[in-house]
Amino acid sequence: MSLPHAILTALLEKPSSGLELTRRFDKSIGYFWSATHQQIYRELGRLEREGAIRALPRQGATRGQKKEYEVLPAGRAELARWTAASQDPKPMRDTLLLRLRAAAVVGTDGIEADLHRHLDLHRRQLAEYEEIERRDFPPGRDAVEDRLRHVVLRAGIDLETFWTRWLTRTIEELEAG
């Protein structure tokens, strides 16, 4: 399971409270590894019990103050072990593709409108990724860490580009028939 590794990664980038972490998930890691707020909080508790992270000492009054977490050496070692391990690609499971296959048997009522909806969603996601690329990766950001973050973003851009092209062709095929 990769959620603990996603959390360790985010906390190594910047120690955060659970709330800050869920907000950061929504803006970055969540684009390719989603988790609910409850899953994140549950995993924070488990990682803390296992000694992978700890809550930072609080400054001043504690009532209503958010608990901020940092990664401990055991957590860093686990993330390094997981990063170095090999992993096979996951088989693709996509409901839309399955629905298209089913439409070949039962008919296409409603499917074309949903294809247009999907196309719109993928176009918007692509535009968002391209804006992030313009904003966060100007020429000259050449550190290894920047290049690795950029290739992850490029994967999202390439995937959304694929989906927009494929959906456009699929819609054209249906409209031609």
Side-chain angles (χ1 to χ4, degrees):
M1 174 146 94
S2 298
L3 179 57
H5 301 103
I7 290 172
L8 289 170
T9 299
L11 289 175
L12 279 169
E13 290 174 341
K14 180 181 178 210
S16 303
S17 69
L19 180 60
E20 291 166 337
L21 189 60
T22 58
R23 287 181 180 154
R24 287 177 52 221
F25 247 75
D26 290 343
K27 293 179 184 172
S28 62
I29 291 174
Y31 286 125
F32 56 90
W33 194 266
S34 62
T36 66
H37 294 201
Q38 294 86 352
Q39 289 171 317
I40 291 171
Y41 278 102
R42 189 171 40 247
E43 197 60 42
L44 283 170
R46 190 181 71 73
L47 288 167
E48 187 173 26
R49 285 190 303 278
E50 291 177 356
I53 65 173
R54 73 173 179 132
L56 292 169
R58 298 180 186 203
Q59 306 292 327
T62 59
R63 186 177 171 98
Q65 194 176 20
K66 297 175 199 125
K67 216 190 255 191
E68 202 168 85
Y69 296 93
E70 71 175 352
V71 177
L72 295 171
R76 181 181 282 276
E78 168 52 24
L79 188 58
R81 182 211 57 78
W82 178 76
T83 302
S86 87
Q87 192 172 20
D88 293 335
K90 289 189 176 242
M92 186 165 96
R93 292 176 65 180
D94 190 282
T95 306
L96 180 61
L97 297 177
L98 182 57
R99 288 176 53 228
L100 285 173
R101 183 69 183 253
V105 178
V106 298
T108 60
D109 286 348
I111 199 81
E112 194 171 327
D114 203 39
L115 289 170
H116 281 282
R117 187 179 70 79
H118 276 256
L119 178 57
D120 183 53
L121 291 169
H122 285 288
R123 282 179 174 157
R124 281 190 270 158
Q125 190 64 63
L126 177 59
E128 186 174 342
Y129 285 163
E130 289 172 336
E131 176 55 33
I132 292 169
E133 184 178 43
R134 277 188 293 281
R135 181 190 71 219
D136 294 350
F137 297 99
R141 285 193 70 175
D142 234 11
V144 172
E145 299 84 5
D146 291 327
R147 289 196 316 260
L148 289 172
R149 288 182 185 109
H150 195 192
V151 298
V152 171
L153 178 61
R154 285 292 325 158
I157 290 170
D158 291 348
L159 188 59
E160 294 304 328
T161 300
F162 160 78
W163 280 113
T164 56
R165 287 179 182 158
W166 180 85
L167 284 159
T168 300
R169 280 196 316 265
T170 302
I171 291 166
E172 289 169 357
E173 285 285 324
L174 284 174
E175 289 173 349

